[in-house]
Amino acid sequence: MLWHCKDFKIDLSHARVMGIVNVTPDSFADGVRCLRTEAAVSRARTLVREGADIIDLGAESTRPGATPVAWRVEWSRLKPVLHILVRELAKTPISVDTYHPETARLALEEGASIINCVYPASSAKLLYLSGETGCGLVLPCRGEKEFRALGLSTPADETRVLIDPMIGFGTTRDEDMSLLGGIRRLAQLSPVLVGVSRKRVIGTMTGTDSPADRLGGSVGAAVWCAMNGASVVRAHDVKETKQALDVARLLADTADAPTNGGVA
């Protein structure tokens, strides 16, 4: 499966890692806030060196209880970082995490290749924008009914649209667990992106209060999601996530191979 994102064609034959760069003062993951342009650019460079296939740039916190941000404020945070990244990281697709059509259009004009939408109310407008510009698009979707309501059909070999079950968005712990358990079924509809890194459900499963202490649980969840059909995993800790996914894939590829002295 190929994910068409403007000038990029991302091979989804194995799970890809989307590295997170937050340019917001109130992200739930304290250790990765990058309020200054230089800090955000530096973090993006680091994530690419660590193996990120995509950089996801966000300027409005979507944590529970966060104050909504006007699109002009969001764009004022994004623009200087995006302007640099699309030039310095020209071989890496840049995604912008937004539900504002105004921000999305400006980001695509500035050189972004993907729009990562986090609220269903904007899906129709962003689908139109994707059709107009050829950008990659991630849309919230938790099941077949929502998928059909978006007017989408299951792709064969290529697509512009990935779907995201939106773990932690207005959900309980049990609902999050159910969504994670349904990834394989969701992936039968369309390629799936999953963002569970450092989230509350990881804290609940591991008994950790601080998002910074959820590395092991986040990596474990990313591997599980990939093994159950996720095409892209969104991660704060790219190096560790990438390494774990690579090992899991190599083990899966050799699982049926005979060992020395074994029977073929």
Side-chain angles (χ1 to χ4, degrees), residues 10 44 77 89 157 183 211 243:
I10 303 172
R77 296 172 178 174
L89 303 178
D157 302 311
I183 286 172
Q243 187 178 88

Side-chain angles (χ1 to χ4, degrees), residues 2-23:
L2 292 178
W3 186 18
H4 285 255
C5 306
K6 290 177 71 174
D7 294 333
F8 291 94
K9 293 182 180 181
I10 303 172
D11 180 4
L12 300 180
S13 59
H14 64 272
R16 298 295 179 175
V17 179
M18 175 182 276
I20 299 168
V21 178
N22 289 322
V23 287

Side-chain angles (χ1 to χ4, degrees), residues 40-245:
V41 171
S42 177
R43 175 162 172 78
R45 291 193 197 108
T46 297
L47 295 182
V48 170
R49 285 196 301 270
E50 291 180 349
D53 300 293
I54 305 159
I55 293 297
D56 191 43
L57 188 61
E60 177 177 349
S61 175
T62 53
R63 65 176 174 80
T67 302
V69 174
W71 75 263
R72 286 184 174 84
V73 174
E74 181 185 46
W75 179 238
S76 72
R77 296 172 178 174
L78 285 168
K79 183 178 179 179
V81 181
L82 182 60
H83 181 80
I84 296 171
L85 291 185
V86 296
R87 289 158 178 80
E88 287 202 11
L89 303 178
K91 295 182 179 181
T92 301
I94 306 298
S95 166
V96 169
D97 188 336
T98 184
Y99 58 91
H100 295 291
E102 300 91 343
T103 298
R105 183 174 291 279
L106 289 170
L108 293 170
E109 290 173 356
E110 189 65 43
S113 300
I114 300 166
I115 298 300
N116 183 10
C117 176
V118 296
Y119 289 119
S122 301
S123 293
K125 290 182 179 180
L126 294 179
L127 269 169
Y128 178 84
L129 186 59
S130 176
E132 180 184 346
T133 64
C135 73
L137 184 61
V138 182
L139 292 179
C141 177
R142 288 174 170 161
E144 184 170 3
K145 184 177 180 180
E146 292 181 21
F147 185 75
R148 303 303 177 197
L150 289 168
L152 299 175
S153 57
T154 300
D157 302 311
E158 55 189 42
T159 186
R160 283 199 315 272
V161 181
L162 269 60
I163 56 177
D164 181 350
M166 305 304 290
I167 307 299
F169 282 76
T171 48
T172 65
R173 183 262 190 190
D174 288 344
E175 288 169 337
D176 283 336
M177 295 295 286
S178 178
L179 289 170
L180 287 167
I183 286 172
R184 185 175 294 278
R185 183 172 61 255
L186 200 61
Q188 293 174 353
L189 296 174
S190 178
V192 173
L193 178 147
V194 180
V196 71
S197 175
R198 301 193 187 186
K199 287 188 175 178
R200 179 186 56 196
V201 67
I202 301 297
T204 301
M205 288 191 284
T206 59
T208 50
D209 293 330
S210 171
D213 294 332
R214 298 171 184 169
L215 171 60
S218 296
V219 171
V223 170
W224 190 90
C225 289
M227 293 181 70
N228 282 275
S231 294
V232 180
V233 293
R234 191 170 176 270
H236 297 90
D237 305 287
V238 166
K239 180 172 67 176
E240 295 83 357
T241 303
K242 176 78 169 177
Q243 187 178 88
L245 290 173

